[in-house]
Amino acid sequence: MSDDAIERLHSNWSDELPRGWCEWNTVVNIDGVEALMNQMCDIPHLDALTGRVDRNLGLVVSPPKEVERYVDEHANGTIDIPPYFSDFPDGEKEPVYSVEEGHRLRSAVVEAAMRLLNGGGRYRTSEYTLYDCLNTEPEQLPCPLIRDEVGCVMVAPVISPGDD
């Protein structure tokens, strides 16, 4: 992970991030929003099998105004977040949100993003906003999960290097 990307993350968001639970590798560009893509993760309290989130999260290093532009252009509203970690659906295939077959956010991926932005323990849903970008054409886009004044994680079924 580049020092420049970490420096931009700290200046644009919070110096608490990134937490030491994931290997962050390539900086990807998701329609003008730059994010560090995760490789391997060992996020506390996620089951090793159902909690696999490799290459499904992008920790945003771009400034909040770029995320706001992305949301304005691509979001179709917001997605409700469970009020407690214990309320997230269990199982690898259970989505937190689904619009049609193949257009869904896996529960483990959304929970992992929440834990990355929150750390451990309780959270207030009022501090978080998860935007629905799954209904975009011609293909679905990652959904930003924003924690006010802390950071943003792009949540997606897949974020691949080289995707622009």
Side-chain angles (χ1 to χ4, degrees), residues 41-157:
C41 281
D42 187 18
I43 297 175
H45 307 291
L46 283 185
D47 181 277
L49 284 178
T50 61
R52 296 295 303 203
V53 295
D54 303 348
R55 302 172 57 88
N56 291 122
L57 303 170
L59 186 58
V60 173
V61 299
S62 294
K65 67 180 179 176
E66 287 301 318
V67 176
E68 289 172 18
R69 179 204 50 80
Y70 179 92
V71 166
D72 287 344
E73 289 180 17
H74 302 296
N76 296 309
T78 59
I79 299 169
D80 291 334
I81 299 166
Y84 304 102
F85 285 123
S86 61
D87 290 340
F88 275 84
D90 289 332
E92 183 176 1
K93 299 196 185 253
E94 281 191 72
V96 163
Y97 177 75
S98 181
V99 290
E100 62 183 62
E101 188 60 37
H103 289 77
R104 63 192 181 102
L105 295 177
R106 285 191 311 120
S107 177
V109 177
V110 176
E111 182 178 349
M114 290 287 296
R115 289 184 183 278
L116 286 169
L117 292 176
N118 186 63
R122 297 181 181 193
Y123 60 88
R124 290 188 183 110
T125 55
S126 61
E127 294 179 14
Y128 296 85
T129 307
L130 178 59
Y131 290 95
D132 175 9
C133 295
L134 295 179
N135 276 325
T136 56
E137 295 297 331
E139 57 188 304
Q140 60 189 357
L141 292 172
C143 299
L145 173 66
I146 301 170
R147 181 177 180 197
D148 297 335
E149 307 299 319
V150 175
C152 177
V153 175
M154 298 300 258
V155 181

